[in-house]
């Protein structure tokens, strides 16, 4: 088989970074039982320079996962517990008057970290959410007259609790769209839960030693950007996204009354980026339709609006995405 | 005194006016006061008047316009035309009108006074009475004057017993019966076959796939540097075959999903490696800019051919023939031989392609 040089080189390059992936995975496995999908989603977001919105009931190791990842990468980690009385300055920082120096000094907020856990993001009012999401998008923060770049790599993992909706401020569609992935975490299996008990009752957990330099992540991000996406895959992505906007054109007339608004062009971009990162996780230098399908639910879940009719019939966006994937022709 | 003078003057004026002009006298008389319903009798009208008087019967004008003029609530009709005769006397004129009278309602009628209008004056005839007898009194046996009774036909035909409407409009009944029969026939055909027009036999998945693969070979795509198009078409042919033959929605599935679906099918489980080789190679070529070696291209097509051949089910008729052959049926032995030769022919053809 003759292969064009760049793909072969890329495959070799990816293979050389397999150690990086196995280090992260084994480190995560030591602390987190199960939740493979959560770990993979965090890695995809990290490789794509994106952010993750996590939805799951409390106690599913959401905080532990991002904390472990931060420890493994020897990166700065911070956690912000979102509450109704939180102010934007509590997240991004503010100017504080120094009596000694007789001037205003910048006090940077917890957002100045490589890995930020925005816990229960929907508990804070819109202006705080907006400040965080703007920083996520721009990757810089302006305090007073001075603009500060956020450290790299920069990953925000925001969590939402799906069962407590009272006293919350649901994220607007325009802001939720800025998360690369929305991951829904489920309960562990019986076997996994038994291991969790054993790990936690024996005392202190094994400490996680930093094994990866943040600069290495930036290198890998550059490799991921080089992963080849064929025009056929681009067409496939566009077809999927267009099927969320005009389902009838793809033979999905039933979905016409269920979808109130389809995915945005940002969804197409995110789908391509996430598929590329997934291909990297599989050790491939090119994207295949399997990669697109694998990340499709997480990428599109929070980008499709459903009508009241759909809600009345208990139809979820996941079901809609599955229907679309089953109808769009794979290249 | 004065009252006597008035009476005298009035009598004198009346006498003088009678001398000046006599009033027309109208007399009416019927030919027969009793008639059978529908028959005609004549009303004789005689008008005696001064020669200078000009008058007419308004009723006659209606009779001439409509053909008749109704009397007694249209039960009695004065019919046109009527005969008119004028006789001149010394100082007077006699005009005779003979008016046909007919009635279709039995009963006793007193005809009204007929008005004669002369200038501004109106004069009236006397009344006449007419009795109309009902037709029920006339039976089929009642002989009609000058006419013989209706005789039965000498050689009666079957058509004589049919009603006239059937004889006159038989062709309408023939058309209606024809439409009904055609509709029933078409309905039965639709019920049995699900369609009215004869169904063209659809090519089997096997035929479509084999024709597609042969066509692909003839196109010489990879020989002309179009490996991507070659593998796109090859996988499309295979995926359509999988859908039509096994009901696997391969067109909407990724390679991994297709292989998983093949694993769960008993018939295709052991043939999965062939498909895996094709799909893996196709993914490389289609999505990784890989240029395969000619041997890979040929192997992929051969694997596709072999897979289609090996998964081609025998037609049901042939299967029945085989079963009959097993049962020792002589006629079915011939069928079994024919099947074997057909299968050999297919294999030989495949070998030739190799």
């Amino acid at each position: 088989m003759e292969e064009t040089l760049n793909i072969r080189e890329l495959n070799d390059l990816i293979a050389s970074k397999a150690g990086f992936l196995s280090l992260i995975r084994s480190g995560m496995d030591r602390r987190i039982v199960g939740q493979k999908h959560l770990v993979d989603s965090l890695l995809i977001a990290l490789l794509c320079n994106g952010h993750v919105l996590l939805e799951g009931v409390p106690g599913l190791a959401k905080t532990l996962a991002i904390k472990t990842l931060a420890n493994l990468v020897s990166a700065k980690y911070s956690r912000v517990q979102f509450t109704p009385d939180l102010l934007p300055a509590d997240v991004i920082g503010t100017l504080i008057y120094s009596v000694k120096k007789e001037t205003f000094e910048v006090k940077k907020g917890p957002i100045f970290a490589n890995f930020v856990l925005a816990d229960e993001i929907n508990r804070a009012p819109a202006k705080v959410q907006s400040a965080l999401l703007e920083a996520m998008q721009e990757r810089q923060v302006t305090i007073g007259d001075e603009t500060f770049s956020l450290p790299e790599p920069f990953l925000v993992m925001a969590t939402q609790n799906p069962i407590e909706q009272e006293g919350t401020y649901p994220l607007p569609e325009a802001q939720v769209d800025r998360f690369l992935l929305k991951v829904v975490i489920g309960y562990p299996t019986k076997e996994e839960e038994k291991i969790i008990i054993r790990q936690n009752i024996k005392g202190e957990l094994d400490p996680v030693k930093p094994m990866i330099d943040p600069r290495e992540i930036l290198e890998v991000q550059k490799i991921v950007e080089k992963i080849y996406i064929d025009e056929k895959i681009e067409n496939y992505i566009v077809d999927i996204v267009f099927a969320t906007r005009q389902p009838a054109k793809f033979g999905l007339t039933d979905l016409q009354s269920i979808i109130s608004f389809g995915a945005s062009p940002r969804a197409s971009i995110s789908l391509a980026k996430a598929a590329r990162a997934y291909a990297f996780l599989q050790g491939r230098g090119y994207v295949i339709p399997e990669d697109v399908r694998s990340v499709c639910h997480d990428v599109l879940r929070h980008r499709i609006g459903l009508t009241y009719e759909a809600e009345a019939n208990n139809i979820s966006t996941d079901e809609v995405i599955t229907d679309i994937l089953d109808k769009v022709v794979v290249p | 005194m004065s009252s006597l003078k008035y009476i005298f003057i009035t009598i004198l004026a009346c006498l003088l006016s009678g001398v000046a002009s006599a009033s027309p006298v109208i007399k009416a008389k019927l030919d027969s006061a009793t008639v059978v319903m529908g028959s005609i009798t004549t009303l004789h009208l005689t008008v005696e008047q001064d020669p200078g008087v000009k008058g007419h019967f308004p009723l006659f004008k209606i009779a001439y316009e409509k053909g008749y003029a109704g009397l007694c609530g249209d039960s009695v009709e004065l019919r046109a035309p009527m005969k008119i005769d004028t006789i001149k006397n010394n100082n007077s004129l006699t005009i005779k009108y003979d008016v046909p009278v007919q009635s279709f309602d039995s009963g006793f009628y007193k005809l009204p006074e007929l008005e004669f209008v002369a200038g501004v004056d109106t004069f009236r005839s006397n009344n006449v009475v007419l009795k109309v007898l009902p037709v029920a009194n006339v039976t089929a046996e009642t002989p009609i004057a000058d006419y013989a009774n209706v005789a039965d036909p000498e050689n009666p035909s079957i058509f004589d017993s049919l009603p006239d409407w059937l004889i006159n409009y038989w062709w309408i009944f023939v058309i209606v019966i024809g439409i009904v029969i055609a509709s029933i026939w078409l309905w039965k055909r639709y019920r049995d076959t699900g369609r009215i027009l004869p169904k063209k036999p659809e090519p089997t998945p096997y035929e479509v796939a084999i024709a597609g693969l042969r066509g692909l070979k003839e196109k010489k795509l990879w020989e002309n540097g179009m490996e991507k198009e070659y593998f796109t078409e090859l996988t499309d042919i295979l995926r359509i075959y999988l859908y039509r033959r096994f009901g696997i929605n391969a067109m909407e599935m990724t390679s991994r999903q297709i292989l998983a679906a093949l694993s769960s099918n008993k018939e295709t489980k052991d043939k999965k490696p062939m498909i895996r080789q094709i799909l893996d190679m196709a993914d490389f070529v289609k999505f990784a800019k890989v240029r395969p070696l000619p041997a890979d291209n040929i192997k992929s097509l051969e694997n596709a051919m072999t897979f289609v051949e090996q998964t081609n089910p025998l037609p049901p008729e042939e299967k029945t023939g085989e079963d009959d052959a097993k049962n020792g049926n002589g006629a079915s032995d011939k069928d079994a031989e024919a099947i074997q030769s057909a299968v050999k022919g297919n294999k030989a053809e495949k070998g030739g392609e190799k």
Side-chain angles (χ1 to χ4, degrees), chain A residues 1-2 230 286 290 330, chain B residues 228 239 251 254 291 293:
Chain A
M1 188 189 326
E2 291 172 356
D230 193 81
Y286 57 94
E290 189 68 49
V330 176
Chain B
K228 200 170 178 178
R239 293 197 294 174
M251 286 304 283
T254 62
R291 295 202 68 188
L293 295 170

Side-chain angles (χ1 to χ4, degrees), chain B residues 51-326:
Chain B
V53 175
K54 287 185 178 178
H56 69 280
F57 287 95
L59 209 58
F60 292 177
K61 195 182 173 186
I62 297 167
Y64 273 106
E65 283 172 2
K66 287 170 62 180
Y68 71 94
L71 296 174
C72 303
D74 279 355
S75 293
V76 179
E77 296 171 0
L78 301 185
R79 305 200 71 87
M82 47 201 70
K83 192 178 166 187
I84 305 170
D85 193 14
T86 307
I87 301 164
K88 282 186 179 176
N89 302 321
N90 291 335
N91 294 321
S92 66
L93 199 66
T94 304
I95 306 169
K96 290 184 176 177
Y97 296 87
D98 290 344
V99 184
V101 176
Q102 194 175 20
S103 175
F104 294 96
D105 294 328
S106 60
F108 188 82
Y109 302 104
K110 184 184 177 187
L111 302 189
E113 295 165 348
L114 297 178
E115 289 180 345
F116 181 80
V117 178
V120 293
D121 298 322
T122 301
F123 305 93
R124 289 180 174 82
S125 70
N126 56 309
N127 289 112
V128 288
V129 174
L130 176 67
K131 187 179 181 183
V132 181
L133 297 174
V135 180
N137 295 340
V138 181
T139 63
E141 282 72 32
T142 307
I144 301 171
D146 301 332
Y147 285 94
N149 284 336
V150 178
D152 292 330
E154 287 181 358
N155 299 313
S157 154
I158 190 167
F159 294 107
D160 294 333
S161 58
L162 294 175
D164 289 345
W165 55 266
L166 186 61
I167 293 166
N168 293 336
Y169 301 106
W170 62 271
W171 52 275
I172 292 177
F173 290 94
V174 170
I175 290 171
V176 169
I177 290 166
I179 290 170
V180 169
I181 290 170
S183 302
I184 292 169
W185 181 75
L186 288 172
W187 177 76
K188 280 191 171 180
R189 189 187 175 90
Y190 181 79
R191 191 187 58 181
D192 295 342
T193 62
R195 52 189 296 154
I196 291 171
L197 295 173
K199 196 178 179 183
K200 195 180 170 185
E202 273 190 22
T204 62
Y206 167 80
E207 288 167 347
V208 173
I210 289 292
L213 292 171
R214 285 178 186 157
L216 179 63
K217 193 182 175 188
E218 283 166 12
K219 281 184 187 172
K220 296 186 182 301
L221 290 174
W222 66 263
E223 289 92 334
N224 293 310
M226 292 191 282
E227 290 90 350
K228 200 170 178 178
E229 288 78 4
Y230 174 77
F231 273 96
T232 303
E233 208 166 310
L234 176 62
T235 47
D236 283 352
I237 291 166
L238 258 186
R239 293 197 294 174
I240 290 167
Y241 176 72
L242 290 174
Y243 172 68
R244 291 193 62 204
R245 172 69 181 83
F246 301 105
I248 298 168
N249 290 325
M251 286 304 283
E252 291 83 27
M253 285 180 170
T254 62
S255 301
R256 201 173 75 176
Q257 287 175 313
I258 292 170
L259 292 172
L262 292 176
S263 298
S264 58
N265 188 311
K266 281 181 187 174
E267 211 174 335
T268 57
K269 202 173 181 179
D270 56 331
K271 298 169 187 72
K272 205 173 80 171
M274 286 188 284
I275 300 296
R276 185 193 294 278
Q277 182 276 326
I278 298 166
L279 294 179
D280 285 350
M281 184 55 64
D283 279 355
F284 278 130
V285 178
K286 288 196 286 184
F287 309 123
K289 294 197 287 187
V290 167
R291 295 202 68 188
L293 295 170
D296 294 326
N297 299 327
I298 294 165
K299 192 182 176 188
S300 298
L301 186 71
E302 279 179 2
N303 277 341
M305 281 278 195
T306 310
F307 178 80
V308 174
E309 290 287 357
Q310 289 182 359
T311 52
N312 175 32
L314 290 173
E317 297 83 18
E318 292 178 352
K319 275 183 181 171
T320 314
E322 273 186 339
D323 294 343
D324 290 345
K326 281 174 191 171

Side-chain angles (χ1 to χ4, degrees), chain A residues 245-307:
Chain A
R245 299 174 199 165
Q246 298 155 345
K249 284 191 178 176
F250 292 82
L252 293 156
T253 43
D254 293 350
L255 297 186
Q256 196 75 49
S257 60
I258 286 172
I259 299 173
S260 64
F261 63 88
S264 64
R266 193 183 275 155
S268 304
I269 299 165
S270 301
L271 200 50
K273 279 183 172 180
R276 225 155 42 173
Y278 189 85
F280 179 87
L281 294 182
Q282 305 304 312
R284 253 187 286 105
Y286 57 94
V287 177
I288 59 171
E290 189 68 49
D291 303 327
V292 179
R293 282 184 81 110
S294 298
V295 296
C296 201
H297 282 87
D298 288 347
V299 173
L300 295 183
R301 186 176 286 131
H302 52 300
R303 292 182 159 103
I304 297 173
L306 298 184
T307 58

